[in-house]
Amino acid sequence: HILILSDPNGSAHVGWAEMYDGRFIPALKTALEEDDDENGGIQQIVRCAMKTVVAACEVPCAARLFRYLGLEALKRFKHWAETKAWTKHQWVSDEVLGWVDSAFQWMQQTPAFASLEAMSEDQMEIPFNARLEVRRPCELLREPCRTSRVETRLGKGQTL
């Protein structure tokens, strides 16, 4: 989502494809094919991405993370959305800019952090059970820290 919001004109399709492994949700695929924005459906991708971001920011932990990783991207996106001709429909622009303002409000209710490590210090640990499938090769670190030792490497398609 940060990639899409950082550069909607250049990264909307690429960012969406990366998130969904090259697939589009059928309803979004139809919306893109029938879109009248003359920008290849950017308005639909932007609407979906921003709606997801604002919904996630209602959760304090997600708002913290987005504030740390995506605040500058959201500021640039707001400027883009206010100044570029990305949709023919005022209601679409108003809706998206309303979500941007809501996301800023949610983020302002969370403290700013200097690092990812500091962000998680006061978070309660809650166990959960899940089965995860690796979509891209990655490394699991021993601690939630960029300088942490690599615990293991995972390949695409592995199940955890």
Side-chain angles (χ1 to χ4, degrees):
H1 290 80
I2 294 172
L3 176 64
I4 292 168
L5 299 180
S6 295
D7 179 18
N9 288 328
S11 300
H13 290 96
V14 170
W16 195 268
E18 283 183 9
M19 281 191 297
Y20 293 98
D21 218 15
R23 297 181 302 260
F24 282 97
I25 299 168
L28 180 62
K29 185 176 188 305
T30 301
L32 292 175
E33 290 168 352
E34 297 173 358
D35 204 351
D36 65 352
D37 71 354
E38 298 173 8
N39 286 321
I42 289 173
Q43 72 180 0
Q44 294 299 335
I45 294 172
V46 163
R47 285 182 71 224
C48 289
M50 197 58 235
K51 187 173 185 178
T52 303
V53 166
V54 74
C57 284
E58 292 179 23
V59 177
C61 186
R64 284 180 179 189
L65 186 61
F66 198 84
R67 182 175 180 165
Y68 180 75
L69 296 174
L71 183 60
E72 292 307 312
L74 190 60
K75 288 177 182 177
R76 287 190 305 273
F77 173 75
K78 182 176 183 176
H79 176 75
W80 175 87
E82 290 173 332
T83 60
K84 301 296 180 192
W86 60 279
T87 180
K88 295 178 182 180
H89 308 288
Q90 188 61 45
W91 70 268
V92 173
S93 179
D94 293 344
E95 178 181 64
V96 168
L97 288 169
W99 289 333
V100 169
D101 290 340
S102 292
F104 279 128
Q105 288 172 2
W106 286 113
M107 285 186 277
Q108 288 172 352
Q109 294 176 21
T110 67
F113 290 91
S115 70
L116 289 174
E117 296 80 19
M119 185 182 307
S120 62
E121 286 176 356
D122 68 342
Q123 296 297 301
M124 180 174 61
E125 290 186 22
I126 302 171
F128 70 96
N129 293 317
R131 183 178 78 76
L132 306 171
E133 183 177 325
V134 177
R135 292 173 71 180
R136 291 189 195 160
C138 63
E139 297 176 338
L140 293 182
L141 305 177
R142 180 173 262 321
E143 301 290 331
C145 169
R146 293 181 184 170
T147 59
S148 178
R149 180 170 65 87
V150 173
E151 189 69 25
T152 188
R153 289 177 173 74
L154 301 170
K156 182 178 179 175
Q158 272 187 273
T159 302
L160 304 177

